[in-house]
Amino acid sequence: MFITADTAKARQRINSAKEQQKKVGFVPTMGTLHAGHLSLVQAARKDCRFVVASIFVNPLQFGPGEDYKKYPRNFSRDESLLKKAGVDLIFYPRAKTMYAHKFSTYIEEAFSAGVLCAKSRPGHFRGVCTVVGKLFNIIQPDVAYFGQKDYQQAQIIKKMAKDLNFPVQIKVLPIVREPDGLASSSRNTYLKASQRKEALALFAALKLAELLIKSGEGNPRKIISRMRALIKLHRLYRNLRRGYFRNIKSN
Ligand code: AMP
């Protein structure tokens, strides 16, 4: 497995794989890898004879006050996971390489601006599109793999690739979850044991929404209010249980 932070060296390796008629698969990540990322690598491994993974915590997609600085980073662990998974090249650029002094060119998918997550994270998708566009130009993959966990991101990237004629096929793969239903995520490392349990309410609420839709409920407001009620109930139940056990201990 070859590791480089250098754009020209990465291109050189990839070009020589292409000269050998190898199909190039690409998995962009921000590192601190888990089973979700590895499922994308596995899919790439199946389809392609040369697999590239990138590890880059992209400053451009973090808003002011977000967790860019404290985002978990663990390169040596990632390296050994990717090696085991059969990756051929890790592209591990520095922020200075990706965004040179006076960098001023961005990619913005305008249709989704101001809706869904873009409402609460202005500039986030612009950061994502810009970095993914740059990575597509550097790696020039035949196929790129994204997770359904970031559904909006995957749709926006598909649109960007189509609108801007990137010659790459985008594959979107299912969410990988922990055994109890919580979606695997690098940010799960932020959660204390109690918060980890609380987070399960989100999965339960999504399952409830699925059930309601399947049983004919078509009104999104009603579905959202039932989901909110379930999350509240989940919290109430956990608080009651906590209080109950505290009482037992103090008695
Ligand atoms: P990230 O490192 O969070 O930027 O994620 C890199 C890629 O892995 C993105 O395409 C994510 O959607 C995907 N991914 C992250 N978590 C999961 C998961 N639990 N299941 C499937 N794909 C995931």
Side-chain angles (χ1 to χ4, degrees):
M1 185 176 70
F2 184 69
I3 302 170
T4 185
D6 186 275
T7 304
K9 282 186 185 152
R11 274 211 181 124
Q12 210 174 32
R13 289 279 168 148
I14 293 160
N15 285 343
S16 85
K18 287 194 168 185
E19 277 162 19
Q20 295 166 51
Q21 312 301 321
K22 290 184 179 171
K23 193 170 173 179
V24 176
F26 176 44
V27 180
T29 83
M30 297 209 297
T32 305
L33 304 179
H34 49 68
H37 297 112
L38 297 177
S39 74
L40 304 185
V41 172
Q42 225 168 34
R45 202 53 292 162
K46 244 191 198 166
D47 299 342
C48 305
R49 285 180 56 216
F50 193 85
V51 176
V52 181
S54 64
I55 298 178
F56 180 59
V57 183
N58 173 33
L60 214 60
Q61 71 189 67
F62 289 78
E66 288 187 1
D67 57 345
Y68 173 66
K69 282 213 171 111
K70 74 165 194 177
Y71 192 86
R73 291 159 169 91
N74 192 342
F75 184 75
S76 53
R77 181 178 166 275
D78 291 345
E79 179 188 344
S80 83
L81 286 171
L82 291 176
K83 196 170 180 184
K84 241 188 243 162
V87 161
D88 299 286
L89 188 155
I90 301 180
F91 182 53
Y92 180 46
R94 290 158 53 108
K96 270 190 200 156
T97 312
M98 292 299 275
Y99 304 113
H101 184 52
K102 292 191 176 165
F103 179 90
S104 61
T105 307
Y106 301 90
I107 303 178
E108 187 152 13
E109 190 288 306
F111 184 73
S112 59
V115 299
L116 300 172
C117 281
K119 232 180 186 174
S120 52
R121 301 186 76 187
H124 171 68
F125 289 123
R126 185 171 90 138
V128 170
C129 285
T130 303
V131 79
V132 172
K134 281 174 69 70
L135 289 167
F136 282 177
N137 281 331
I138 296 166
I139 310 294
Q140 305 198 353
D142 296 296
V143 194
Y145 298 82
F146 293 86
Q148 210 171 44
K149 177 177 147 282
D150 301 285
Y151 183 79
Q152 297 172 42
Q153 169 180 286
Q155 299 313 308
I156 290 171
I157 285 166
K158 270 189 177 174
K159 185 75 170 40
M160 173 192 85
K162 182 168 177 265
D163 287 351
L164 299 184
N165 304 88
F166 281 100
V168 56
Q169 182 191 357
I170 308 289
K171 282 202 174 176
V172 182
L173 291 148
I175 302 176
V176 173
R177 296 181 176 277
E178 307 286 329
D180 60 5
L182 187 70
S184 302
S185 163
S186 310
R187 286 186 170 103
N188 287 352
T189 55
Y190 294 159
L191 301 175
K192 288 189 232 150
S194 62
Q195 293 171 324
R196 170 80 184 59
K197 282 186 184 150
E198 242 168 62
L200 288 176
L202 297 175
F203 182 52
L206 287 169
K207 292 304 276 180
L208 173 68
E210 183 185 25
L211 198 76
L212 290 169
I213 292 165
K214 279 186 178 161
S215 60
E217 180 57 75
N219 182 338
R221 282 212 183 102
K222 275 192 189 158
I223 297 171
I224 290 169
S225 108
R226 301 278 290 275
M227 289 170 83
R228 279 189 204 280
L230 185 113
I231 291 169
K232 267 191 195 154
L233 206 66
H234 195 273
R235 183 166 297 159
L236 188 71
Y237 170 72
R238 289 202 49 76
N239 286 342
L240 281 173
R241 250 173 72 101
R242 230 173 274 154
Y244 175 74
F245 285 119
R246 215 175 291 130
N247 284 343
I248 288 186
K249 271 187 204 158
S250 59
N251 282 339

